[in-house]
Amino acid sequence: MRAVVVNEFGPIDTHDIEEIKDPTPETNEILIDVEAVGLNFPDTLMLQGLYQTRPELPFVPGRDAAGVVIGLGKGVKGFLVGDRVVAQVRWGAYAKKLAGPIDRCFGIPKNMTFFDAAALGTVYPTAHVALMIRGQYKKGETVLVNGAGGGVGLAAVQIANAKGATVIAGDISEEKRQLALDHGADHAIDLSVENLRENLRSQVFAVTDGRGVDICLDPVGGDVFDGSLRALAFAGRIITIGYASGRIPEAKVNYFNLKNLTLAGVALDLHFQHVPETILDTMADLYGLYGQGKVKPEITTIFPFEEFKTALNMFAERKTIGKLVLTMGS
């Protein structure tokens, strides 16, 4: 089968598609003929050996793959050959075939395409867990979403809007801010301004009557995190999701005493590992919201598998808007 293979960690352009042996499903795994692959920012880090998890070399990268079940390992229950499924794996998705653990695979609703299923993987459950579990969202609260035009950010905007929040979308370009507004954000703030430490807070205060926000979902880090921390209301919660800016921020812990603030992190893989039942509930809720038309991935470009480097370099150059997907072809 064809697959992207990482033989040595390095820049995106140093990796290629190779012909490798088809995987064999082991106990509690299903074999999937992959039709679509969802791309994520962490994929670029994993290729370079910069992600928090470094797989043993060589490996196939990629987290989200949607397709059809073509084989069953021992002990598999709940899946049949011919089922339409999406897998959210730690790596292995950039391939025509994938052996996915059943606790990381989910049936696809009849009204959902393979492209939407692949695009909904990882970013939507990450945003959902960040808001509902780690952020302890309560209906009617005000939520600031940074990087609102990207994969996790736009998912968070849609979910928060569907749950009845007042949503403030922060991003660096007018195009990305408008996209967030089109998908349910109530206000938008500019993250490209100078002195974000002061100016992010002033923009938030201007649309919250000086109160600030109850929750901030932050996949950006850096100066954006620093400014967002100051934009929280009393007992506000800031959820750190990622560091697309390239800088992991630091905060003086005494600052959290000043307004009874809470800092929490979110890592979806840890929920799969420690509390997998929460992921089942999350996916059920997301599928319900999708069926109601309240959430839907904004797929801006579908690339042929052979153009995976072009697609991933868009993350590196911070040119991504919405979700990027690969089509695997025949």
Side-chain angles (χ1 to χ4, degrees), residues 28-30 32 34 36-38 40 42-43 46 51 53 55 59-66 85-95 97-106 118 121-122 125 268-269 272 279:
N28 289 325
E29 289 186 341
I30 57 176
I32 304 168
V34 177
V37 174
N40 299 285
D43 298 348
M46 191 166 281
Y51 194 58
T53 301
F59 73 98
V60 175
R63 295 184 58 91
D64 301 319
V85 297
V86 60
Q88 298 175 25
V89 292
R90 298 176 70 190
W91 53 79
Y94 287 19
K97 295 178 182 178
L98 168 66
I102 58 174
D103 60 354
R104 284 177 171 265
C105 296
F106 307 90
T122 296
L268 196 65
D269 285 338
F272 273 112
I279 304 298

Side-chain angles (χ1 to χ4, degrees), residues 123-265:
V123 294
Y124 277 82
T126 293
H128 192 284
V129 168
L131 179 68
M132 305 303 296
I133 298 177
R134 304 300 289 151
Q136 291 292 292
Y137 167 78
K138 301 177 185 64
K139 187 174 182 179
E141 289 187 313
T142 300
V143 178
L144 169 63
V145 179
N146 294 325
V152 172
L154 198 59
V157 167
Q158 292 181 2
I159 295 166
N161 175 65
K163 296 296 183 180
T166 297
V167 183
I168 302 172
D171 218 312
I172 59 174
S173 74
E174 178 64 32
E175 183 180 11
K176 291 183 177 182
R177 293 192 294 274
Q178 186 58 54
L179 181 64
L181 290 168
D182 292 343
H183 281 267
D186 299 281
H187 310 282
I189 64 171
D190 186 357
L191 300 185
S192 69
V193 297
E194 295 182 358
N195 190 15
L196 275 174
R197 176 180 170 84
E198 295 294 336
N199 289 331
L200 189 155
R201 178 174 63 172
S202 64
Q203 292 182 79
V204 167
F205 279 15
V207 296
T208 60
D209 295 325
R211 177 180 176 275
V213 298
D214 299 294
I215 299 174
C216 172
L217 304 181
D218 180 43
V220 180
D223 294 345
V224 172
F225 175 93
D226 297 341
S228 299
L229 190 59
R230 294 162 60 83
L232 294 176
F234 168 77
R237 291 88 79 195
I238 186 165
I239 316 302
T240 177
I241 302 171
Y243 313 103
S245 68
R247 178 172 73 84
I248 298 175
E250 298 178 356
K252 294 181 178 180
V253 295
N254 67 306
Y255 189 80
F256 293 88
N257 296 97
L258 298 179
K259 290 191 290 186
N260 282 11
L261 305 180
T262 298
L263 167 65

